[in-house]
Amino acid sequence: MVLAIGSGSTMFGLVNDPGFWMYKEFFSLSVKDTLISYSTLNTIIGVGGLVGVLILSPLVNG
């Protein structure tokens, strides 16, 4: 349950996230480009985590 909640919480990057601004400055991107790429990356990570939870769920539940 904790893994599913944690994965779902990373689905979309917001501009008030400090990681968003660090990503923007590190890669010298505009706010628009950062929003697109950072949100896409976070969504891929979140969906990957949820898929991992769904795959591992039958193994844990027996």
Side-chain angles (χ1 to χ4, degrees), residues 8-28:
S9 70
T10 63
M11 290 298 279
F12 189 75
L14 300 174
V15 294
N16 62 349
D17 180 12
F20 176 88
W21 296 106
M22 289 173 50
Y23 184 84
K24 177 191 175 304
E25 292 298 320
F26 186 74
F27 291 109
S28 300

Side-chain angles (χ1 to χ4, degrees), residues 3-14 17 38-50:
L3 291 175
I5 292 170
S7 296
S9 70
T10 63
M11 290 298 279
F12 189 75
L14 300 174
D17 180 12
Y38 188 71
S39 297
T40 303
L41 178 65
N42 279 343
T43 302
I44 291 170
I45 291 169
V47 170
L50 290 174

Side-chain angles (χ1 to χ4, degrees), residues 32-62:
K32 179 182 176 183
D33 291 337
T34 305
L35 187 61
I36 292 169
S37 62
Y38 188 71
S39 297
T40 303
L41 178 65
N42 279 343
T43 302
I44 291 170
I45 291 169
V47 170
L50 290 174
V51 168
V53 168
L54 290 173
I55 290 171
L56 293 175
S57 180
L59 299 175
V60 174
N61 292 332

